Amino acid sequence: DRMEEKLEQLSKAGIGGVMLFGIPDHKDELGSGAYAQDGIVQQGFRKAKELFPDLYMIGDVCMCEYTSHGHCGVLCGHDVDNDKTLELLQKTALSQVQAGADMVAHSDMMDGRVGEILDKNGYINTPIMAYSAKFASAFYGPFRDAAESAPAFGDRKTYQMDYHNRREALKEVDQDVLEGADIVMVKPAMAYGDLIREVKDMTDIPVAAYSVSGEYSMVKTTAAAGFIDETSIMCEMAVSAFRAGTDIYITYFAEELAKCMDEGRIG
């Protein structure tokens, strides 16, 4: 109900793109709210495109916010069934593009998710951003609380990556590129500059880095306690990501960073 107000603020600040996440009124085992034509994100895209047609809108393709168990796909016992999940992820991506999304971003970490579903339905020019090197990270905590998407049992280490393992990250990036991803991502950003650089060196497509909720919350709470200069830390984090090789920086500080760029504090 306040989306218009926020999008207007972002647009005036010079923000070029926004990614929508949603929390449905009802969650079920199959995460049906993720791909419903009248789902909360689908409604959001239609309204956003009506109000701000020039704002670039990106859809998060995952199911953890929509499943009753909080995992990113269809369960088989206590494990996520990769292949059964793929069909629902494809439906989710298609429904978001049909609702007005300019790009879809697969964050689920299922193998084979960067498929041909959009091409087969005529959306041949819609870019796909793959969360290719997404780690099972403690930095996601604040988002999971806000999105009510924490797993009801277990964890996501069977489909998100072990942060010790850089070689698997590079393998996952290579696989997503082969499947047709237009952009690959490293997530989180701050503690993974080494992998951002390696991914940048190994591929010729744009590289995104996601500065996640834990990074944002650490800066906010530490600054509120008077221990750091929030603006300086925020700028340094962003510049470090770009210095490592990031082409696209996804951050909750976007509005504040845009102001700093206008003021010449960062380039």
Side-chain angles (χ1 to χ4, degrees):
D1 61 344
R2 296 183 62 193
M3 183 182 70
E4 180 178 356
E5 174 188 340
K6 190 62 185 178
L7 291 182
E8 185 172 5
Q9 291 176 8
L10 296 173
S11 183
K12 287 180 177 178
I15 305 302
V18 175
M19 184 180 292
L20 293 189
F21 297 84
I23 306 174
D25 288 331
H26 171 72
K27 301 188 179 192
D28 56 41
E29 288 193 355
L30 296 179
S32 60
Y35 44 87
Q37 290 298 319
D38 62 347
I40 186 64
V41 162
Q42 287 78 3
Q43 292 181 49
F45 281 129
R46 292 188 184 98
K47 188 66 175 178
K49 277 300 180 183
E50 175 188 328
L51 297 170
F52 303 94
D54 295 329
L55 193 60
Y56 199 84
M57 303 301 298
I58 304 169
D60 172 68
V61 180
C62 195
M63 300 177 66
C64 62
E65 298 142 65
Y66 304 91
T67 56
S68 53
H69 44 75
H71 281 282
C72 299
V74 180
L75 293 182
C76 180
H78 278 191
D79 297 317
V80 173
D81 189 314
N82 187 99
D83 292 351
K84 288 183 179 179
T85 301
L86 292 181
E87 180 182 353
L88 302 184
L89 293 172
Q90 291 175 343
K91 289 174 63 176
T92 300
L94 184 59
S95 70
Q96 291 181 358
V97 174
Q98 289 171 335
D102 299 295
M103 177 192 292
V104 289
H106 293 266
S107 64
D108 51 277
M109 285 301 289
M110 299 296 118
D111 293 332
R113 69 246 164 88
V114 186
E116 300 178 355
I117 185 67
L118 297 181
D119 288 354
K120 288 179 178 178
N121 284 274
Y123 296 98
I124 59 174
N125 294 318
T126 301
I128 296 173
M129 177 164 59
Y131 286 53
S132 301
K134 180 180 179 181
F135 291 85
S137 172
F139 281 99
Y140 305 150
F143 175 90
R144 288 180 180 173
D145 289 341
E148 303 170 6
S149 63
F153 59 87
D155 55 41
R156 295 176 180 158
K157 292 181 179 179
T158 57
Y159 46 96
Q160 294 180 2
M161 288 186 299
D162 184 342
Y163 60 79
H164 298 84
N165 195 338
R166 53 169 286 279
R167 293 177 66 186
E168 183 185 16
L170 302 180
K171 179 180 177 182
E172 292 282 359
V173 168
D174 189 53
Q175 184 60 41
D176 283 347
V177 172
L178 289 174
E179 288 178 17
D182 300 289
I183 301 166
V184 290
M185 183 196 293
V186 176
K187 182 183 179 184
M190 187 170 64
Y192 294 83
D194 59 323
L195 282 168
I196 294 172
R197 170 45 55 191
E198 287 201 73
V199 170
K200 182 66 175 178
D201 288 344
M202 69 177 281
T203 181
D204 58 0
I205 65 174
V207 177
Y210 195 144
S211 182
V212 297
S213 60
E215 299 172 44
Y216 177 81
S217 299
M218 286 195 304
V219 174
K220 283 289 186 182
T221 55
T222 310
F227 293 121
I228 61 171
D229 180 319
E230 178 180 322
T231 301
S232 295
I233 291 286
M234 170 191 72
C235 292
E236 188 172 338
M237 288 168 57
V239 170
S240 72
F242 284 111
R243 190 180 64 240
T246 297
D247 299 295
I248 300 168
Y249 189 56
I250 301 170
T251 174
Y252 301 98
F253 279 120
E255 192 171 357
E256 295 94 325
L257 280 170
K259 181 179 179 182
C260 290
M261 293 172 73
D262 287 340
E263 295 172 350
R265 295 192 61 165
I266 56 175

